[in-house]
Amino acid sequence: MTSSLAALAAACCLLLPALSLAQTQTPAIAHGAAEAATPAATAHEAPHEKLSPSMRPLSPPVRVNHPPRRLPQQAAPYARPAVRHKQPHAPAHRQPAMAVPLRAAAALASRLLPRGQHGDKSPRLTVLACADGAPRHGAQGTLYLVQNPGNQLLLGEAGVSHAVRQLRTPLLLVLASADCKAVNTARSDFSALPLAEQRTLLSINVDKGGTPLSAQLDNLDNQVEAAVLHYGGEVEAGRLSVIGAYYDAAGQLGKRGQLVVTSINGERDKATIARLLRQRAVFNAATGIGTPLASSSH
């Protein structure tokens, strides 16, 4: 019995060193396996994890998947220009057509001033015409238009002088027509009208008992005479011709729809007017000598 116990104790003594050695080697093996696994794990770490903590982003970067580049013919529909429905062709903006009397006046000026005689300057004609409302003036193509109630030189003197003496238009046409309301009102009692309108009409000197046509022609002669006196220097020098004309819309003078010249620089004789117009010699007629436009003055 004693010998058996002694043999068991000896065996235990031999096993204890082996167990202690195994315990000491196991952590080393585990640590070695961990070290071997470390490179594989670090190989998959994101680049920002290699940075110091102060330089790392707040969150891991998000991978952006860019779509493949498309050819122009494969562009998305929103990248193409929108297809516009064809609209009916809009008519071009046109300036309002010139009134018939003004077109007739421009035609008369073209006949009296052939191309090149006035240096092809524009405007070449000043028209003093009747219009309701406040006086106004301005260029309209080949003519310079001055309008006021009764086609009065007194009311339109500023515009006429600008055209005659600054723009040097060689023709001044005083234009009358049957539809001038100011002249028609001036031949009647207008005492009930406002004072401003009465002052405008007082300077229109026509016969109170005359006909509408005689009133229009009388006022036309008065305005031509005033213009010849006011621009006498230009008229005598042959730089200006003052023409009175009546647009015969209703055929009262036997020239329906035509412009009838009633005076040239104050000359009212029909035969003389016809000769001057035929010869295109309407300048300096106030002295009784019909001559072409003095080209040296323009």
Side-chain angles (χ1 to χ4, degrees):
M1 183 68 176
T2 306
S3 59
S4 300
L5 293 174
L8 181 60
C12 290
C13 292
L14 293 175
L15 293 174
L16 288 176
L19 292 175
S20 61
L21 179 60
Q23 291 177 357
T24 56
Q25 290 179 353
T26 301
I29 294 174
H31 181 70
E35 289 181 352
T38 300
T42 56
H44 297 286
E45 290 180 354
H48 70 276
E49 293 181 355
K50 297 180 180 181
L51 302 175
S52 62
S54 62
M55 299 180 63
R56 292 180 183 177
L58 297 179
S59 61
V62 179
R63 183 180 295 277
V64 180
N65 294 322
H66 296 282
R69 186 179 300 276
R70 298 182 179 182
L71 298 178
Q73 61 269 22
Q74 298 175 339
Y78 62 79
R80 298 173 184 171
V83 179
R84 297 181 180 179
H85 298 286
K86 292 184 178 181
Q87 300 291 340
H89 180 67
H93 177 70
R94 297 179 180 178
Q95 296 182 351
M98 188 181 298
V100 176
L102 296 181
R103 291 203 302 268
L108 176 63
S110 299
R111 185 159 62 92
L112 296 179
L113 294 174
R115 181 177 295 274
Q117 190 170 355
H118 184 50
D120 292 339
K121 294 181 180 179
S122 184
R124 305 191 304 172
L125 168 69
T126 302
V127 178
L128 177 60
C130 179
D132 298 329
R136 53 187 180 272
H137 59 268
Q140 287 195 4
T142 59
L143 58 86
Y144 192 90
L145 181 60
V146 180
Q147 293 179 297
N148 60 62
N151 46 274
Q152 302 181 64
L153 181 65
L154 179 64
L155 300 180
E157 192 272 333
V160 174
S161 293
H162 172 73
V164 171
R165 292 174 174 168
Q166 301 298 326
L167 302 180
R168 292 185 176 273
T169 57
L171 293 177
L172 170 56
L173 178 70
V174 183
L175 179 61
S177 61
D179 59 353
C180 184
K181 296 180 180 180
V183 176
N184 293 332
T185 305
R187 53 181 290 271
S188 61
D189 183 12
F190 51 84
S191 58
L193 295 177
L195 293 178
E197 296 184 19
Q198 291 187 39
R199 285 193 292 268
T200 300
L201 298 175
L202 284 174
S203 54
I204 300 177
N205 185 18
V206 293
D207 188 3
K208 294 291 184 181
T211 64
L213 177 60
S214 64
Q216 297 289 350
L217 296 178
D218 289 345
N219 179 66
L220 178 60
D221 292 338
N222 294 339
Q223 303 306 326
V224 170
E225 182 179 356
V228 171
L229 293 175
H230 191 76
Y231 303 107
E234 287 85 351
V235 171
E236 293 182 2
R239 295 195 302 267
L240 177 68
S241 178
V242 182
I243 300 175
Y246 180 83
Y247 182 71
D248 193 12
Q252 296 171 309
L253 299 181
K255 302 291 184 179
R256 187 182 185 90
Q258 298 183 30
L259 193 66
V260 181
V261 176
T262 60
S263 62
I264 298 177
N265 294 331
E267 177 60 57
R268 302 178 187 175
D269 181 68
K270 293 182 179 181
T272 304
I273 292 175
R275 177 179 59 84
L276 295 176
L277 293 176
R278 184 173 59 254
Q279 297 175 354
R280 300 178 181 177
V282 297
F283 296 92
N284 204 20
T287 61
I289 303 174
T291 59
L293 176 65
S295 57
S296 60
S297 302
H298 294 275

